[in-house]
Amino acid sequence: EAGVVQSPRYKIIEKKQPVAFWCNPISGHNTLYWYRQNLGQGPELLIRYENEEAVDDSQLPKDRFSAERLKGVDSTLKIQPAELGDSAVYLCASTPTGKRAYEQYFGPGTRLTVT
Amino acid sequence: DAKTTQPPSMDCAEGRAANLPCNHSTISGNEYVYWYRQIHSQGPQYIIHGLKNNETNEMASLIITEDRKSSTLILPHATLRDTAVYYCIVRGALKTSYDKVIFGPGTSLSVIP
C-alpha cells in the first residue's frame, strides 16, 4: 500500500510570503497529524484531526498557521505570512483505527526554507 | 519537556548488537514506552512499544526494567541501514494521548563498517 504522501518535498520562499503543504494519508486512516521538526530536534505536534474534525490544535500558532481537512481525507497546512523562524521540516502522519491504532505512519516531510 | 532522557549519540560496529538506553523515571502506570527511528531525510518510523513485559518483533527487542523507570532497545545485528536517530517516547494507551506525545532530541546511532 502507498504510504503517507506529502508535497512539495522542498520549498524555498521569502519571508512574508504565503506557503501551503499538502498531505494525503494512508487510505482508511481516519486520524491525521501535522508536526513541525526543527533542525536537531524531535517532531512537535501542531494539530491532530479525527476525520474532518480538528480535535487538538492547541499548539498551532493560529495567528499565521491554518489547516484544513475538508473531506476527512487529504489535508493542507498553510502559513501566511511566513517568518524566518518557520524554517523547518513539516511532517504529516496518520494512524489506522482498531488494534493497530498505536502505529503512527509518517510521510517524508516538506522542508521549508524561509529567506 | 520530554519525559525521557537518552544519550545524544552512540556508535555500534556493523553486525554487533546495538543497545540503546532510555530513562523514563516519571512514567506512570498506564503509560507505554514507544520507540521510533528517523533515517536521514525521512519521517520517523515506528519500531516497537511495550508496557511492562519485554517485547520482540521483526525489527528489534524492547527490554523494560521491573520498576519501569528505564528501558533498552536492542537491534540484534546492526547494519549500516540502521544508522538513524532513535526516539524513546512515553504515552498513554489511548490514541487521544498522542496530543501529549513529546519527542526529545533522541539518540543518533552510527553503525560503523
Side-chain angles (χ1 to χ4, degrees):
Chain A
E1 81 186 346
V4 176
V5 179
Q6 291 188 248
S7 69
R9 289 295 313 277
Y10 305 91
K11 188 74 176 179
I12 301 174
I13 60 170
E14 294 182 347
K15 62 182 181 182
K16 300 184 181 180
Q17 295 299 308
V19 64
F21 315 122
W22 177 79
C23 171
N24 192 22
I26 294 173
S27 177
H29 286 197
N30 295 334
T31 308
L32 182 147
Y33 314 76
W34 282 103
Y35 288 83
R36 175 172 59 189
Q37 185 171 24
N38 293 312
L39 187 65
Q41 299 181 22
E44 172 194 17
L45 180 69
L46 293 175
I47 189 169
R48 175 170 64 91
Y49 281 93
E50 294 288 347
N51 297 304
E52 65 274 9
E53 181 182 3
V55 295
D56 182 12
D57 61 357
S58 59
Q59 299 184 76
L60 188 72
K62 298 182 182 61
D63 57 336
R64 296 182 300 106
F65 286 65
S66 65
E68 61 182 15
R69 192 185 185 200
L70 294 177
K71 296 183 179 180
V73 181
D74 57 344
S75 175
T76 302
L77 178 68
K78 298 179 181 178
I79 307 175
Q80 183 170 11
E83 298 179 352
L84 294 177
D86 296 330
S87 294
V89 176
Y90 291 83
L91 294 161
C92 179
S94 66
T95 55
T97 55
K99 292 182 179 180
R100 300 186 72 83
Y102 55 80
E103 289 195 26
Q104 200 173 31
Y105 295 83
F106 284 81
T110 296
R111 181 176 297 278
L112 173 67
T113 302
V114 182
T115 63
Chain B
D1 292 333
K3 300 168 78 172
T4 64
T5 56
Q6 300 175 253
S9 63
M10 292 181 62
D11 292 338
C12 178
E14 187 179 18
R16 304 296 293 271
N19 298 290
L20 292 91
C22 179
N23 288 320
H24 31 80
S25 58
T26 61
I27 192 170
S28 58
N30 64 347
E31 288 186 316
Y32 287 69
V33 180
Y34 279 71
W35 283 83
Y36 286 79
R37 74 178 183 184
Q38 187 171 23
I39 295 171
H40 183 62
S41 296
Q42 297 183 22
Q45 175 191 22
Y46 164 83
I47 301 174
I48 198 168
H49 75 287
L51 183 62
K52 56 183 179 180
N53 297 321
N54 298 337
E55 302 287 345
T56 296
N57 63 19
E58 65 277 7
M59 291 183 67
S61 295
L62 174 60
I63 309 298
I64 302 175
T65 58
E66 189 170 349
D67 63 7
R68 302 206 327 120
K69 293 185 177 181
S70 66
S71 61
T72 301
L73 179 75
I74 301 172
L75 308 177
H77 304 287
T79 70
L80 298 179
R81 289 175 294 179
D82 292 322
T83 292
V85 177
Y86 287 77
Y87 298 102
C88 170
I89 299 159
V90 296
R91 56 154 290 201
L94 297 177
K95 192 162 62 172
T96 52
S97 67
Y98 260 118
D99 57 337
K100 303 297 187 290
V101 170
I102 300 175
F103 284 80
T107 295
S108 178
L109 175 69
S110 297
V111 180
I112 302 169

